[in-house]
């Protein structure tokens, strides 16, 4: 018999639970392009409420929420500041340039965390040669930073500085509820420092599809126009909004379990020859580790894991990311940890011969 697969590639791989599917099947729907879909409307209201914003709008992806946020805050020829590993810059095909004529200025953080002092001199003076600095984007938790939670005082300092200089602020909160679970700081507390905030329902919360952008009512009204322009107007969207609503109502509190499971995984990696956590820090549902070249490449190591039934994702030639989520329990995570250790031991003994 084939061993069961333990899929740690991403927290996006979760399948809707039975109860979630039931909520989706029974969702009340309408045409959300002509006027409104009642289920999407309820989701948008709850999202806005949790984030302490006037309004929110449901969209098909987190990339769309981020790119529409950039478009709301910037005009062609404007620039935004961001951390060099962030999703908006690295994993959205430079859509800010392709779709909105905006440039990004990246600043290298420490595992995704910037300090105010790194930004203070970066606002461009008024001069016909220069782009205009308009926006600061932060990411919480930070994906490339191995799920790192932004330190709250850093968020306060950077956003406070941005506002005092007339810059807009956007939070890529694809995993903001993980930051909430990790710190106990409410979503609203994090969100109040930003003009706009995006959240994903399709990551740790476990919905099949969807994200939302929250902010002031006038900006969200404008975002609705841009969503239509970008092809994101959806008709009886309540069917998928119901999955997102179910996730938001029922799956926030359990994120702490994913974090505990990530710590189990981290412990196994620490105890494996030739593997090293980078950073050696587990704050939410993710770990990133480097594979010693003596064991082979990240791809070699992942092939060995896959043979034993564990899936992960390589994020560079020597680095692998593993993410815990709703569809893996602590027993499976312990088993995955055991498999990691066995693969590392086997490959390191081969390399010693
Ligand atoms: C997943 C993710 C997004 C959005 O991704 P989509 O696949 O477009 O939904 C944005 N930011 C971060 C940090 C992410 O991890």
């Amino acid at each position: 018999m084939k061993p069961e697969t333990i899929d740690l590639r991403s927290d996006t791989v979760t399948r809707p639970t039975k109860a979630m599917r039931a909520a989706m099947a029974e969702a009340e729907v309408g045409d959300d392009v002509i006027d409104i879909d009642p289920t999407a409307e309820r989701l948008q209201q709850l999202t806005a409420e949790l984030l302490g914003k006037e309004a929110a709008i449901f969209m098909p992806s987190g990339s769309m929420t981020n790119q529409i946020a950039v478009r709301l805050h910037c005009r062609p020829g404007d620039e935004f500041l961001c951390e060099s590993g962030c999703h908006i810059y690295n994993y959205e095909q430079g859509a800010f340039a392709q779709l909105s004529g905006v440039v990004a200025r990246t600043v290298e953080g420490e595992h995704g965390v910037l300090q105010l002092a790194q930004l203070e001199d970066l606002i461009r003076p008024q001069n016909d040669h220069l782009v205009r600095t308009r926006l600061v984007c932060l990411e919480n938790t930070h994906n490339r930073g191995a799920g790192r939670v932004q330190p709250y005082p850093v968020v306060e300092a950077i956003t406070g500085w941005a506002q005092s200089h007339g810059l807009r602020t956007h939070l890529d909160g694809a995993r903001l509820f993980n930051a909430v679970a990790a710190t106990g700081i409410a979503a609203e507390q994090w969100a109040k420092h930003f003009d706009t905030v995006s959240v994903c329902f399709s990551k740790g919360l476990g919905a099949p599809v969807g994200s939302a952008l929250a902010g002031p009512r006038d900006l969200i009204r404008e975002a609705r126009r841009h969503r239509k322009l970008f092809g994101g107007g959806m008709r009886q969207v309540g069917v998928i909004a119901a999955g997102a609503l179910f996730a938001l109502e029922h799956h926030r509190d359990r994120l702490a379990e994913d974090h505990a499971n990530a710590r189990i995984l981290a412990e196994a990696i620490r105890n494996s020859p030739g593997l090293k956590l980078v950073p050696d820090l587990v704050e939410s549902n993710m770990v990133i580790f480097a594979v010693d070249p003596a064991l082979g490449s990240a791809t070699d190591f992942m092939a060995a894991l896959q043979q034993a039934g564990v899936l992960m994702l390589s994020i560079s030639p020597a680095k692998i990311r593993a993410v815990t989520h709703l569809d893996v329990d602590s027993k499976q995570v312990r088993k995955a940890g055991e498999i990691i250790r066995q693969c590392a031991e086997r490959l390191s003994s081969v390399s010693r011969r």
Side-chain angles (χ1 to χ4, degrees):
M1 209 176 74
K2 248 183 91 159
E4 66 159 347
T5 301
I6 303 172
D7 192 345
L8 302 173
R9 287 174 301 170
S10 175
D11 47 9
T12 58
V13 301
T14 55
R15 314 278 165 84
T17 61
K18 223 171 168 169
M20 184 184 282
R21 282 183 191 266
M24 294 172 75
E26 285 153 21
E28 192 189 340
V29 296
D31 189 323
D32 199 49
V33 176
I34 293 181
D35 44 39
I36 64 160
D37 173 287
T39 305
E41 186 65 17
R42 277 166 55 212
L43 170 65
Q44 290 167 172
Q45 275 172 10
L46 178 60
T47 306
E49 193 183 305
L50 288 172
L51 296 174
K53 298 294 184 197
E54 284 176 0
I57 181 168
F58 186 55
M59 296 196 197
S61 72
S63 298
M64 191 182 281
T65 59
N66 281 334
Q67 293 305 327
I68 286 178
V70 169
R71 198 176 175 99
L72 288 173
H73 299 308
C74 299
R75 301 211 313 237
D78 286 349
E79 173 185 67
F80 68 92
L81 305 176
C82 62
E83 200 280 325
S84 42
C86 76
H87 197 282
I88 297 182
Y89 182 74
N90 291 279
Y91 301 120
E92 300 178 12
Q93 285 191 25
F96 48 87
Q98 296 209 53
L99 302 176
S100 300
V102 171
V103 296
R105 190 168 188 187
T106 59
V107 183
E108 179 96 26
E110 200 193 344
H111 309 303
V113 175
L114 290 172
Q115 299 298 329
L116 172 57
Q118 296 176 271
L119 302 178
E120 276 171 331
D121 295 333
L122 299 187
I123 300 177
R124 313 243 184 205
Q126 288 229 8
N127 178 317
D128 283 352
H129 295 86
L130 306 175
V131 293
R132 290 179 168 128
T133 314
R134 285 280 189 207
L135 168 69
V136 178
C137 296
L138 297 180
E139 184 173 312
N140 199 18
T141 64
H142 198 288
N143 188 342
R144 289 277 308 201
R148 194 155 178 210
V149 179
Q150 297 289 340
Y152 192 79
V154 168
V155 170
E156 271 185 312
I158 291 177
T159 54
W161 163 82
Q163 273 141 27
S164 70
H165 288 82
L167 304 182
R168 296 279 188 90
T169 50
H170 171 69
L171 175 63
D172 177 352
R175 295 187 181 82
L176 181 62
F177 292 108
N178 290 90
V180 172
T183 58
I185 298 171
E188 170 177 20
Q189 275 301 110
W190 289 107
K192 74 174 186 186
H193 299 290
F194 297 86
D195 293 305
T196 53
V197 177
S198 30
V199 291
C200 289
F201 307 112
S202 56
K203 303 283 168 78
L205 292 179
V209 185
S211 292
L213 180 69
R217 201 174 303 285
D218 57 335
L219 282 186
I220 298 305
R221 200 172 297 128
E222 194 62 17
R224 190 176 154 96
R225 277 188 68 80
H226 294 306
R227 182 183 67 174
K228 188 73 175 70
L229 171 67
F230 286 5
M234 298 175 286
R235 303 289 177 173
Q236 284 73 43
V237 67
V239 174
I240 57 171
L245 184 59
F246 186 94
L248 198 55
E249 284 173 337
H250 297 98
H251 293 168
R252 278 183 289 136
D253 290 342
R254 61 153 306 285
L255 289 171
E257 293 172 33
D258 295 344
H259 299 184
N261 285 338
R263 292 193 290 272
I264 293 174
L265 217 48
E267 205 42 44
I269 291 163
R270 287 191 191 102
N271 292 326
S272 301
L275 303 184
K276 189 171 178 298
L277 289 170
V278 277
D280 191 345
L281 177 100
V282 189
E283 293 186 339
S284 60
N285 66 335
M286 237 179 245
V287 294
I288 293 179
F289 61 95
V291 181
D292 189 305
L295 270 59
S297 66
T299 315
D300 297 333
F301 193 70
M302 285 202 317
L305 290 175
Q306 184 163 7
Q307 281 255 301
V310 175
L311 303 183
M312 296 185 186
L313 217 56
S314 81
I315 60 160
S316 78
K319 280 190 202 163
I320 295 175
R321 187 189 79 168
V323 188
T324 55
H325 53 77
L326 186 60
D327 284 1
V328 285
D329 60 22
S330 62
K331 192 165 154 245
Q332 290 169 304
V333 166
R334 274 199 195 85
K335 185 168 170 207
E338 195 51 37
I339 290 170
I340 292 168
R341 222 161 40 82
Q342 286 165 0
C343 287
E345 274 164 11
R346 186 160 49 78
L347 291 170
S348 68
S349 71
V350 169
S351 79
R352 263 187 265 116
R353 272 195 228 126

